[in-house]
C-alpha cells in the first residue's frame, strides 16, 4: 500500500479533518480486525466488536463506523470517525485510492478460464512489469480490498479476477478496481443456486461494462453463443473479439494436442502467429489467446508474449496430468466442477486417451446449480456415454445423478461404481486398475477425499 495522509482520505470522504487528525500517516487500510496495526484505518462492518484493548497498544489507529461500540470512550475522540453510511464512505475510499494510480487494470470474468487466463497474462507480463494480481483462484469479495491495497507506486499493471456468486458482486468488484480492460472468457450455467435465473447470471456478468463506465476496452469470446448475443449497445469503448469465428479480431486458426501441451496458430491484422502452451485441451488454447489479446492491448509484442507463454507452468489441479503408479495416468481436474468445466475436461480426456487406455472418470458433485441441477446432471451423464467413457465412479450422494443418463447413453452398468469415502476408493483401485489406465478426477465440492486418493495413486 502507498502511504497516504488521513486528512486526504477524510477530505475525499467529504469529512473535514480536525487538527489532531492532520499529518497522520496511514499505512494499512482494512476491514479485518486481526490486521489492525500501527497507522491503520479500520472500516467497522456489521457492528463488529472493536478490539479496543489491542488498539490502545498501537500508534495512530482510526476507526470508521456508523454506530457506537463498546468501550469507545477509552479511545481518543479523534480516533473515531463517525459516518452516516459506512458502505458509501468505504467505496468513496476505494475510488480515492484506486485513482491515485494511473495504471491499466485488467478485470477478468466468465464461468471458466478466469484463473488460468489471469495466470497466463501475469506470466507474460511479470518479466518486464511489476504486476499486482489475484492469487491463484482466490477471487471472493473479501479478497478485493487487500488486492486493491497491494497496488503501490511500483505497480505497473494490475490483473484481477472479478468472480460472482450472487447479485451485486460484479458491481462491487468494479468499485474496488475500476478496470480499464474487461474480459469475459465464456458463459455457462454456474452459481444458479443464489442467482436463480441463468439470464440473471448472464446479466450479472455483463455488468462489467457498467463497471468500466461503458468505456475503455472489452475483450469477448466471439464463439460463445451467449456472449455473441450480448447487448453491447450502450458500450462506447472498443470491443475486441477472439475465437475461431471468421469475424474474430484474434482468429484461432488451428490447434493440436501434443504430448506436453497444445500447439496453435492465430491470425491478427493479417499476420499469422504460432504458439505453444503447456496444458491440454481446446479450452487452454482459448485461455492462451485471451491472455495474448490483453497483452497486445497493453503494448506487449506478440512474438515476445508467445515466447513467454511457452514457459508457462500449468496451474495445479486444472487438468493436471500426473504420472501414476503401475504405469497409470492420473488427471487431476478438481479445481472446480460446473457443467462447462466438466464438459471441457471430459472432451479433453477423450481426445488425449490412447486406444489401449481405459478411460475412467471419478466424479463428485457439481456445485451451485440450483434449479438447473437435474438438467445439467442429465446432460453430463449423456456426455459420459457419448464420449465412450469406459468406467464411471461416483463419490458422494449427489454425484449418483450422473449414473442413470450415463447408462442410458451406453456405459455398461457393470462398469459403474459408487463410493462414500477415500478408503473405499483406495481399496477398489488397488485391485481394479491396470497398466495404461487413465483416471480422471473431477469434483466441485472441495472434497479432501479426492486429494487423498490422487496422492495415493501418484507414482
Amino acid at each position: 500500500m502507498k502511504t497516504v495522509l488521513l486528512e486526504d482520505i477524510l477530505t475525499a470522504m467529504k469529512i473535514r479533518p480536525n487538527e489532531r487528525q492532520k499529518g497522520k500517516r496511514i499505512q494499512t487500510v482494512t476491514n479485518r480486525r486481526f490486521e489492525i496495526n500501527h497507522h491503520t484505518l479500520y472500516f467497522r462492518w456489521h457492528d463488529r466488536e472493536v478490539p479496543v484493548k489491542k488498539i490502545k497498544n498501537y500508534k495512530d489507529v482510526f476507526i470508521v463506523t456508523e454506530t457506537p461500540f463498546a468501550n469507545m470512550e477509552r479511545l481518543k475522540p479523534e480516533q473515531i470517525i463517525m459516518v452516516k453510511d459506512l458502505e458509501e464512505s468505504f467505496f468513496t475510499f476505494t475510488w480515492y485510492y484506486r485513482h491515485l494510480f494511473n495504471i491499466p487494470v485488467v478485470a477478468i470474468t466468465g464461468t471458466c478460464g478466469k484463473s488460468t487466463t489471469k495466470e497466463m497474462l501475469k506470466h507474460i507480463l511479470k518479466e518486464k512489469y511489476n504486476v499486482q494480481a489475484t492469487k491463484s483462484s482466490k477471487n471472493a469479495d473479501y479478497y478485493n480490498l487487500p488486492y486493491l491495497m497491494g497496488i503501490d507506486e511500483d505497480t505497473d499493471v494490475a490483473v484481477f479476477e472479478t468472480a460472482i456468486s450472487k447479485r451485486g458482486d460484479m458491481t462491487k468488484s468494479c468499485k474496488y478496481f475500476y478496470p480499464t480492460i474487461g474480459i469475459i472468457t465464456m458463459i455457462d450455467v454456474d452459481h444458479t443456486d443464489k442467482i436463480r435465473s441463468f439470464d440473471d447470471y448472464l446479466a450479472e456478468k455483463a455488468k462489467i461494462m457498467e463497471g468500466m463506465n461503458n468505456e475503455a476496452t472489452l475483450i469477448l469470446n466471439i464463439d460463445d453463443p451467449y456472449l455473441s448475443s450480448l447487448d453491447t449497445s450502450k458500450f462506447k469503448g472498443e470491443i475486441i473479439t477472439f475465437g475461431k469465428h471468421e469475424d474474430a479480431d484474434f482468429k484461432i486458426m488451428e490447434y493440436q494436442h501434443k504430448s506436453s501441451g497444445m500447439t496453435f496458430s492465430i491470425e491478427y491484422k493479417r499476420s499469422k502467429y504460432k504458439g505453444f502452451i503447456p496444458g491440454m485441451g481446446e479450452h487452454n488454447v482459448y485461455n492462451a489467446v485471451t491472455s495474448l489479446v490483453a497483452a497486445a492491448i497493453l503494448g506487449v509484442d506478440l512474438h515476445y508474449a508467445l515466447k513467454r507463454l511457452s514457459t508457462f507452468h500449468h496451474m495445479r489441479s486444472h487438468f493436471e496430468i500426473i504420472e501414476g503408479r503401475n504405469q497409470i495416468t492420473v488427471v487431476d481436474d478438481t479445481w472446480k466442477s460446473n457443467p462447462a468445466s466438466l464438459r471441457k475436461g471430459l472432451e479433453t480426456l477423450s481426445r488425449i486417451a490412447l486406444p489401449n487406455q481405459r478411460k475412467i472418470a471419478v466424479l463428485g458433485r457439481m456445485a451451485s446449480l440450483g434449479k438447473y441441477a437435474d438438467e445439467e446432471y442429465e446432460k453430463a451423464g449423456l456426455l459420459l456415454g457419448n464420449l465412450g467413457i469406459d468406467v464411471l465412479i461416483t463419490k458422494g450422494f449427489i454425484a449418483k445423478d450422473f449414473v442413470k443418463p450415463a447408462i442410458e447413453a451406453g456405459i455398461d452398468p457393470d462398469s459403474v461404481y459408487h463410493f462414500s469415502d477415500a478408503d473405499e476408493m483406495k481399496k477398489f483401485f488397488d485391485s481394479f486398475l491396470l497398466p495404461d489406465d487413465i483416471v480422471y478426477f473431477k469434483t466441485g465440492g472441495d472434497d479432501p477425499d479426492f486429494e487423498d486418493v490422487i496422492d495415493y495413486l501418484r507414482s
Side-chain angles (χ1 to χ4, degrees):
M1 175 183 172
K2 176 181 179 178
T3 299
V4 292
L5 291 175
L6 176 64
E7 61 200 86
D8 292 338
I9 297 174
L10 295 180
T11 299
M13 292 165 55
K14 298 181 180 179
I15 297 172
R16 179 177 295 178
N18 62 44
E19 289 302 315
R20 294 183 179 180
Q21 292 170 332
K22 292 181 179 180
K24 302 296 184 180
R25 294 176 292 113
I26 298 298
Q27 297 173 341
T28 301
V29 176
T30 185
N31 49 22
R32 304 175 185 181
R33 291 171 293 182
F34 65 86
E35 291 182 348
I36 294 174
N37 208 314
H38 300 291
H39 307 290
T40 295
L41 181 66
Y42 168 62
F43 284 87
R44 178 188 175 236
W45 288 103
H46 309 302
D47 291 337
R48 289 193 177 98
E49 179 183 353
V50 177
V52 172
K53 185 176 180 180
K54 172 185 175 181
I55 288 172
K56 287 180 68 66
N57 294 324
Y58 295 124
K59 180 180 180 181
D60 293 339
V61 176
F62 301 89
I63 300 101
V64 183
T65 181
E66 56 187 9
T67 57
F69 51 87
N71 298 315
M72 188 170 71
E73 70 281 356
R74 296 181 60 190
L75 297 174
K76 298 175 182 178
E78 62 268 23
Q79 290 181 268
I80 314 302
I81 301 166
M82 194 70 68
V83 297
K84 292 182 179 179
D85 188 324
L86 184 64
E87 183 173 349
E88 180 181 337
S89 298
F90 176 76
F91 283 114
T92 299
F93 165 76
T94 60
W95 181 94
Y96 159 76
Y97 189 82
R98 163 65 182 90
H99 288 89
L100 290 175
F101 309 96
N102 184 24
I103 61 171
V105 174
V106 182
I108 306 173
T109 194
T111 305
C112 299
K114 296 185 296 294
S115 297
T116 304
T117 299
K118 176 261 303 177
E119 289 296 323
M120 287 177 172
L121 179 57
K122 179 182 175 182
H123 184 75
I124 291 170
L125 297 172
K126 67 180 183 180
E127 187 175 66
K128 294 186 177 181
Y129 301 94
N130 189 332
V131 184
Q132 166 67 350
T134 311
K135 295 179 180 178
S136 184
S137 298
K138 296 179 179 179
N139 54 30
D141 174 70
Y142 51 82
Y143 293 112
N144 285 344
L145 181 61
Y147 288 145
L148 175 64
M149 293 296 95
I151 298 174
D152 59 22
E153 300 96 325
D154 296 325
T155 305
D156 298 310
V157 59
V159 185
F160 299 120
E161 296 178 44
T162 46
I164 68 166
S165 61
K166 60 184 182 301
R167 291 187 185 214
D169 279 354
M170 180 60 68
T171 299
K172 280 191 175 181
S173 289
C174 289
K175 288 170 74 173
Y176 286 92
F177 305 130
Y178 293 90
T180 60
I181 298 172
I183 299 173
I184 309 181
T185 57
M186 59 84 66
I187 297 291
D188 207 327
V189 175
D190 197 17
H191 294 300
T192 43
D193 56 334
K194 294 182 180 179
I195 304 176
R196 300 301 179 92
S197 160
F198 177 73
D199 288 339
D200 290 340
Y201 171 72
L202 175 59
E204 184 67 28
K205 290 288 189 183
K207 286 182 181 176
I208 193 171
M209 292 184 284
E210 294 179 18
M212 296 191 291
N213 198 31
N214 285 309
E215 297 173 346
T217 304
L218 179 66
I219 301 170
L220 294 178
N221 178 351
I222 196 173
D223 294 340
D224 187 281
Y226 300 111
L227 295 180
S228 61
S229 61
L230 195 67
D231 181 6
T232 58
S233 59
K234 294 182 180 179
F235 191 77
K236 306 306 178 187
E238 183 180 15
I239 297 177
I240 298 178
T241 59
F242 65 93
K244 292 185 285 187
H245 193 281
E246 187 65 31
D247 295 333
D249 296 308
F250 282 74
K251 185 180 177 182
I252 299 172
M253 303 294 291
E254 56 188 4
Y255 55 85
Q256 288 184 317
H257 290 80
K258 299 295 184 181
S259 59
S260 57
M262 305 289 294
T263 59
F264 64 94
S265 62
I266 59 173
E267 185 178 72
Y268 175 57
K269 292 185 176 179
R270 298 184 179 180
S271 295
K272 192 171 182 178
Y273 301 85
K274 293 183 178 182
F276 170 82
I277 181 67
M280 295 296 181
E282 177 188 67
H283 59 287
N284 261 318
V285 174
Y286 274 80
N287 295 335
V289 173
T290 311
S291 69
L292 290 170
V293 177
I297 293 170
L298 293 168
V300 178
D301 176 75
L302 277 176
H303 293 290
Y304 170 81
L306 285 160
K307 183 179 179 181
R308 289 288 298 160
L309 271 182
S310 69
T311 65
F312 175 73
H313 294 288
H314 196 61
M315 292 186 70
R316 185 177 183 272
S317 299
H318 286 59
F319 209 91
E320 179 185 5
I321 297 177
I322 301 165
E323 182 180 344
R325 61 185 187 178
N326 301 327
Q327 296 177 291
I328 67 167
T329 299
V330 175
V331 180
D332 179 0
D333 200 24
T334 57
W335 65 282
K336 183 179 184 178
S337 185
N338 57 31
S341 66
L342 177 58
R343 182 178 66 252
K344 292 176 184 298
L346 291 172
E347 289 173 347
T348 304
L349 172 68
S350 182
R351 288 193 183 102
I352 69 170
L354 300 174
N356 64 324
Q357 289 184 300
R358 287 193 302 177
K359 300 184 290 292
I360 302 171
V362 186
L363 306 182
R365 69 179 180 89
M366 292 188 288
S368 309
L369 296 181
K371 68 179 182 180
Y372 297 94
D374 290 344
E375 177 185 353
E376 294 301 330
Y377 274 96
E378 181 175 4
K379 288 180 182 178
L382 293 173
L383 181 64
L384 287 161
N386 294 335
L387 289 175
I389 300 301
D390 298 296
V391 180
L392 171 61
I393 298 171
T394 59
K395 196 268 179 182
F397 178 77
I398 296 176
K400 285 184 176 181
D401 290 345
F402 290 114
V403 173
K404 183 179 177 181
I407 292 174
E408 290 175 353
I411 289 185
D412 184 348
D414 293 332
S415 296
V416 176
Y417 304 88
H418 179 79
F419 299 102
S420 299
D421 60 50
D423 289 337
E424 289 179 349
M425 296 170 72
K426 290 176 187 177
K427 290 178 182 177
F428 171 78
F429 282 135
D430 281 341
S431 60
F432 181 78
L433 292 179
L434 301 173
D436 295 326
D437 281 346
I438 183 167
V439 190
Y440 172 79
F441 289 86
K442 186 73 165 174
T443 185
D446 251 354
D447 189 339
D449 282 350
F450 275 74
E451 184 176 355
D452 187 9
V453 174
I454 291 169
D455 285 341
Y456 183 73
L457 294 179
R458 288 177 186 268
S459 174

